[in-house]
Amino acid sequence: MAEIEKSYIELSALGATADQLRMLLPHSTAAEVVMTCNLREWRHVFKLRCSRHAHASIRQFFIPLLLYFKQEMPEVFNDVPYDETFPAEDYAKLT
């Protein structure tokens, strides 16, 4: 924890943003996510969380999930846009 605090203070002094600093903290570890929505709400969530304006770690998870939904239910999700510039090699693995 002392090393994390030291790195946090140093990066903050160098001008790192709050979002960047947050990634140093221990709560930024892998986690399982369970979420249920109706189809209309899924569309809404994807439009928000797959946008280039969403945090990278959120896009990392939601873009591959959207692509899965597009594959399984194209008639419902094919028109939902996403940040196509986000690198596919950074996508989270869905299980």
Side-chain angles (χ1 to χ4, degrees):
M1 290 304 295
E3 285 298 316
I4 291 171
E5 181 181 21
K6 179 182 172 190
S7 297
Y8 187 99
I9 292 168
E10 289 173 1
L11 289 171
S12 179
L14 292 171
T17 67
D19 278 343
Q20 292 167 328
L21 292 169
R22 188 176 299 120
M23 298 304 289
L24 294 173
L25 302 175
H27 70 275
S28 187
T29 59
E32 289 186 25
V33 176
V34 176
M35 183 174 166
T36 58
C37 297
N38 63 37
L39 293 178
R40 182 179 298 155
E41 187 62 20
W42 274 118
R43 288 176 54 84
H44 175 71
V45 168
F46 287 136
K47 287 177 184 177
L48 292 175
R49 302 303 179 211
C50 296
S51 157
R52 66 180 181 85
H53 302 291
H55 191 278
S57 62
I58 296 297
R59 285 181 286 158
Q60 183 179 26
F61 171 74
F62 275 100
I63 291 174
L65 185 59
L66 171 60
L67 295 175
Y68 174 77
F69 275 51
K70 285 178 177 260
Q71 177 185 341
E72 295 297 316
M73 295 175 276
E75 60 283 346
V76 179
F77 293 99
N78 259 355
D79 66 330
V80 177
Y82 66 98
D83 179 8
E84 296 184 36
T85 66
F86 192 82
E89 60 269 12
D90 293 340
Y91 289 175
K93 181 181 176 188
L94 303 178
T95 57

